[in-house]
Amino acid sequence: MGGNYNLLISLTAGMGGLLFGYEIGVIGQVLAIDQFKKLFGTDDPNTNAWVASMFQFGCVFGAAVFSVLADTLGRKRSILASGVTFAIGGALQAASSSVALLL
């Protein structure tokens, strides 16, 4: 049983890393789309850098906060809280109509 469990955990962790890397790659491509530039007015390279940097900062901040919350709330509650926070953040980004709301 231990071998199968370790394999499952390894595959899950690897898939998480793969999806995170894929998501990071997507933000760079989205910033280059002409329609995105027109809608959000991100022709300025500094604005693009700011959007990409804040995306990374949110990932690091969320990982730091919810790793500490895992010790206080417990594993299941912290996973639930981080999932709800991720869903709310995703909905806000999807519904954003300006760079300020996107950040």
Side-chain angles (χ1 to χ4, degrees):
M1 168 142 169
N4 290 336
Y5 180 73
N6 290 338
L7 180 64
L8 180 64
I9 294 298
S10 298
L11 288 174
T12 303
M15 185 59 73
L18 175 81
L19 291 174
F20 181 73
Y22 176 76
E23 190 175 13
I24 298 302
V26 166
I27 190 68
Q29 297 302 316
V30 168
L31 291 173
I33 296 173
D34 291 332
Q35 186 176 1
F36 183 85
K37 290 179 182 179
K38 182 179 176 185
L39 180 66
F40 289 97
T42 59
D43 291 330
D44 181 26
N46 291 329
T47 304
N48 285 341
W50 186 251
V51 169
S53 297
M54 287 296 103
F55 180 76
Q56 291 283 23
F57 175 74
C59 294
V60 171
F61 181 75
V65 167
F66 283 106
S67 65
V68 171
L69 283 179
D71 292 336
T72 58
L73 296 176
R75 180 179 50 89
K76 291 180 183 179
R77 287 184 180 154
S78 66
I79 290 172
L80 177 65
S82 64
V84 168
T85 303
F86 179 81
I88 291 170
L92 287 174
Q93 285 181 346
S96 64
S97 59
S98 68
V99 173
L101 185 58
L102 184 65
L103 297 177

